[in-house]
Amino acid sequence: MKRQQKKASRDGEQMSGAEMVVQALADHGVEHVFGYPGGAVLPIYDEIIQQDRVEHILVRHEQGAGHAAEGYARSTGKTGVVLVTSGPGATNMVTALTDALMDSIPMVCLTGQVPTHLIGNDAFQECDTVGITRPCTKHNWLVRDVNDLSRILHEAFYVASHGRPGPVVVDIPKDVQFATGTYTGPKKVEHKTYRPRTKGDPNAIRAAVELIAKAKKPVFYTGGGVINSGPRATELLRELAKLTGYPVTSTLMGLGAFPASDPQWLGMLGMHGTYEANNVMHDCDLMVAIGSRFDDRITGRTDAFSPGSRKIHIDIDASSINKNIRVDLPIIGDVASVLEDLLTIWKAEKPKVDQAARKAWWKQIETWRGRNCLAYRQNNDVIMPQYAIERLYAATKDRDTYITTEVGQHQMWAAQFYGFEEPNRWMTSGGLGTMGYGLPAALGVQVAHPGSLVIDIAGDASVLMTMQEMSTAVQHNLPIKIFILNNQYMGMVRQWQQLLHGNRLSHSYMDSLPDFVKLAEAYGGVGIRAEKPDELDDAIQEMISVDKPVLFDCRVVALANCFPMIPSGKAHNEMLLPEEADDDAIGKAISASGKALV
């Protein structure tokens, strides 16, 4: 029988290490933990079953637990929590930890460890968890004394969620879980060396106001840091854009910080960004980078990246400044804090913007927009993947909807064709590009938002990497919808092979795929299939109406390519558009592979 956990402070009480873990979770407001039990973590699991303040979600693989915690964190702004055992339990978390580190997702991962006297003896299910996870976490701890445990747990939540968010690991030996010690509550939680700067330098902010006001061809280049900074940051970004009248673009991770329906929105930039966004980035005279890190999928050739612009970089992570691109004016601080100070100065001083230059800039932008870079060939006989996303968006845009994705062409099409009006509605693997991310991430989102519609836009190759988590969805009554763009290829791999490797389609064809409808039914979910464009709308409505996990097998044309595309080694103004691609490329690819889904 579960015992009701006391809600009052238990500071100074004697308790076991395992009980400290559960108490610390409750003290930090944790409502859900994603995990998988094993021998080295059983004392903590024994405490979990005896209380009802923290709910445990049993996954089918530790990587799934990590991605679920990421989805939970990204959709709520809270810290995701994972509990796994030692050895393979910890090593199975490495992919999710690395994913969270690259995408700045706050996560606390609790791992079991063999008893302290066995550490280093190659004991059963022992590994050097701290050593293995050091490169893929913000910080990690091995707890050797139960009296240090509560302090370290509080520090872990602080480090994970403060500054640039990210994952941390607390490795807890089994004997420490059994031992009894004094619990200290989270009265004033901090880390003795990690104290990130949140307030920007006032002189730098004032200089930024002057540069923004004087710019003739400016752009706001925004990233996931705007969303990580919280709802206030997105409000301030929108206010700044309206006051200045300047264009806004964003990275893959920043989608939703600025509304996609706004006329100042240029769409996503980067390798598969829009023609207008990339040309604006190339030709601007002032680039204001806000909560972004100038990664290679954004910059293309660094020596040809926006060669004529001055660059302002606002970021809470000092190590991101001048890491990839030299900037003229760095401002280290929390996005919301910096934007608030910037707007205060702007409103007080009311600087004059060059209206004629702004008008000319927008005229040029409209010329680029006129290229209609996301156009694709319609087909009444087969489903084009872009059309599938458009119909999904039309059916769900007015609902309380959250979108996750796997990684590949479908991910880019989702970013291009699904318009996000608000932050925290878009969960995707950006930096690491983790195939298999979307399905377990959808679980985490659904746990956090039980009454919402949660859809994983998936590829047939990616989704199979964590398909076992359909069992988790069924067990916990999580009615996630997996919308699979099934083209029977590793689509992005095939596209690169077609365009950059002489159409030699080396092992990118997915032969012997499962029947996704039957697979859904085998798990206890619902399977739906659409093969023709005129079937899509009704099938999507059926998917939405089902109160169970759904695998939607959307059969799309096999060899569609994702454009625009900046080819490897090219600059922003050297994009490849659909009409510029080799018209015979698809035919050549079919001949080379001998296989195509129609």
Side-chain angles (χ1 to χ4, degrees):
M1 179 181 295
K2 292 186 178 182
R3 63 170 182 259
Q4 178 70 37
Q5 195 75 280
K6 294 179 183 178
K7 293 188 177 181
S9 172
R10 302 186 66 188
D11 188 48
E13 286 192 26
Q14 294 291 299
M15 61 182 75
S16 71
E19 195 174 358
M20 287 182 187
V21 169
V22 176
Q23 184 62 45
L25 296 180
D27 283 348
H28 285 277
V30 175
E31 297 176 337
H32 299 95
V33 173
F34 303 89
Y36 200 97
V41 79
L42 286 184
I44 297 174
Y45 271 89
D46 191 49
E47 284 298 323
I48 284 176
I49 199 67
Q50 297 182 67
Q51 56 81 53
D52 58 9
R53 291 180 67 186
V54 179
E55 181 182 356
H56 180 271
I57 307 298
L58 176 64
V59 297
R60 299 301 183 264
H61 190 284
E62 289 88 357
Q63 181 184 346
H67 295 324
E70 286 188 89
Y72 187 96
R74 186 71 174 174
S75 67
T76 62
K78 301 177 182 178
T79 299
V81 181
V82 176
L83 176 61
V84 298
T85 194
S86 63
T91 59
N92 282 344
M93 271 295 299
V94 167
T95 296
L97 289 169
T98 309
D99 192 273
L101 183 70
M102 294 193 73
D103 285 346
S104 306
I105 309 299
M107 182 196 302
V108 171
C109 175
L110 308 173
T111 59
Q113 183 56 275
V114 299
T116 52
H117 68 278
L118 290 179
I119 292 176
N121 288 348
D122 294 331
F124 178 67
Q125 291 194 332
E126 180 194 359
C127 74
D128 180 7
T129 300
V130 167
I132 289 169
T133 62
R134 185 171 288 120
C136 58
T137 55
K138 283 183 70 176
H139 195 58
N140 57 20
W141 296 260
L142 171 62
V143 185
R144 292 181 175 271
D145 185 339
V146 69
N147 289 302
D148 293 329
L149 179 56
S150 54
R151 171 186 58 80
I152 288 173
L153 290 169
H154 302 323
E155 284 184 6
F157 277 91
Y158 175 85
V159 172
S161 59
H162 284 68
R164 178 180 175 180
V168 299
V169 165
V170 181
D171 198 31
I172 312 172
K174 194 169 184 178
D175 57 326
V176 173
Q177 297 171 43
F178 277 124
T180 300
T182 304
Y183 178 80
T184 57
K187 290 169 290 190
K188 184 182 178 183
V189 181
E190 59 182 22
H191 190 273
K192 58 186 176 183
T193 59
Y194 180 66
R195 295 179 183 178
R197 186 196 307 178
T198 58
K199 294 289 290 183
D201 175 35
N203 293 326
I205 295 173
R206 187 171 294 278
V209 170
E210 293 178 8
L211 286 174
I212 293 170
K214 291 177 181 178
K216 297 184 182 299
K217 298 189 294 182
V219 63
F220 292 118
Y221 150 46
T222 63
V226 179
I227 295 172
N228 286 340
S229 184
R232 181 63 178 152
T234 61
E235 293 171 6
L236 293 167
L237 170 65
R238 296 173 187 209
E239 185 179 355
L240 178 61
K242 291 305 170 192
L243 276 176
T244 60
Y246 293 165
V248 182
T249 183
S250 98
T251 66
L252 181 73
M253 298 303 295
L255 295 177
F258 195 79
S261 62
D262 194 288
Q264 289 174 243
W265 172 243
L266 302 177
M268 181 179 72
L269 78 154
M271 178 171 282
H272 292 287
T274 65
Y275 186 73
E276 53 267 33
N278 284 334
N279 274 295
V280 164
M281 289 287 281
H282 186 271
D283 285 7
C284 67
D285 69 346
L286 178 70
M287 179 187 301
V288 185
I290 308 173
S292 51
R293 58 186 180 87
F294 294 97
D295 70 282
D296 63 296
R297 293 297 162 119
I298 295 302
T299 63
R301 273 179 54 201
T302 55
D303 62 347
F305 175 69
S306 194
S309 71
R310 302 190 73 177
K311 299 172 182 69
I312 300 170
H313 190 184
I314 301 169
D315 204 290
I316 199 166
D317 181 8
S319 70
S320 291
I321 304 293
N322 293 324
K323 182 176 183 178
N324 299 322
I325 297 292
R326 295 289 301 179
V327 299
D328 300 280
L329 181 59
I331 304 176
I332 301 170
D334 176 69
V335 166
S337 174
V338 172
L339 290 184
E340 190 156 30
D341 291 346
L342 193 155
L343 279 164
T344 298
I345 296 172
W346 188 282
K347 291 174 183 177
E349 299 186 355
K350 297 181 174 58
K352 290 185 178 181
V353 173
D354 188 333
Q355 299 292 344
R358 184 173 65 178
K359 185 176 180 180
W361 184 223
W362 274 110
K363 184 177 180 180
Q364 175 60 69
I365 291 171
E366 292 306 322
T367 300
W368 287 324
R369 275 180 172 164
R371 291 292 297 270
N372 194 15
C373 67
L374 297 181
Y376 60 92
R377 295 177 184 174
Q378 294 280 5
N379 193 310
N380 294 325
D381 297 319
V382 294
I383 300 173
M384 296 300 291
Q386 301 95 324
Y387 179 74
I389 301 297
E390 286 183 327
R391 299 318 302 158
L392 180 68
Y393 175 61
T396 60
K397 65 180 180 178
D398 296 325
R399 295 174 178 268
D400 181 21
T401 306
Y402 293 81
I403 299 293
T404 71
T405 78
E406 308 296 334
V407 169
Q409 286 180 317
H410 62 274
Q411 176 191 31
M412 296 298 104
W413 282 318
Q416 291 172 340
F417 289 93
Y418 200 104
F420 294 93
E421 300 295 309
E422 299 296 334
N424 305 104
R425 298 285 173 154
W426 165 252
M427 278 57 63
T428 195
S429 175
L432 193 61
T434 305
M435 294 173 70
Y437 167 91
L439 197 165
L443 295 177
V445 177
Q446 192 76 80
V447 168
H449 308 278
S452 302
L453 177 62
V454 181
I455 302 172
D456 172 29
I457 297 175
D460 50 287
S462 270
V463 75
L464 289 174
M465 290 200 167
T466 52
M467 180 57 73
Q468 71 276 356
E469 300 307 333
M470 275 294 287
S471 180
T472 305
V474 172
Q475 176 180 340
H476 292 281
N477 300 312
L478 301 171
I480 58 173
K481 319 300 181 188
I482 314 301
F483 191 77
I484 305 169
L485 299 185
N486 184 353
N487 60 11
Q488 294 189 327
Y489 278 93
M490 287 179 256
M492 193 62 82
V493 172
R494 192 271 309 150
Q495 177 170 333
W496 279 56
Q497 289 173 336
Q498 176 188 323
L499 299 176
L500 304 174
H501 296 277
N503 284 334
R504 291 179 293 277
L505 306 189
S506 177
H507 301 283
S508 55
Y509 178 68
M510 298 296 290
D511 205 354
S512 301
L513 285 170
D515 181 325
F516 285 111
V517 171
K518 290 182 179 178
L519 185 60
E521 293 168 352
Y523 276 114
V526 173
I528 300 172
R529 180 177 292 119
E531 300 185 35
K532 300 291 183 182
D534 59 6
E535 300 171 355
L536 261 179
D537 287 352
D538 288 344
I540 289 172
Q541 288 301 326
E542 181 185 357
M543 176 189 76
I544 294 170
S545 66
V546 172
D547 191 27
K548 282 187 176 183
V550 175
L551 289 181
F552 188 117
D553 184 8
C554 184
R555 298 295 186 97
V556 300
V557 65
L559 297 168
N561 283 332
C562 184
F563 294 110
M565 177 182 177
I566 302 176
S568 181
K570 300 295 183 180
H572 274 163
N573 63 341
E574 299 176 291
M575 279 169 286
L576 186 63
L577 297 180
E579 65 269 20
E580 296 166 349
D582 182 0
D583 289 335
D584 296 326
I586 290 179
K588 290 176 182 177
I590 293 173
S591 299
S593 67
K595 304 178 179 76
L597 176 65
V598 178

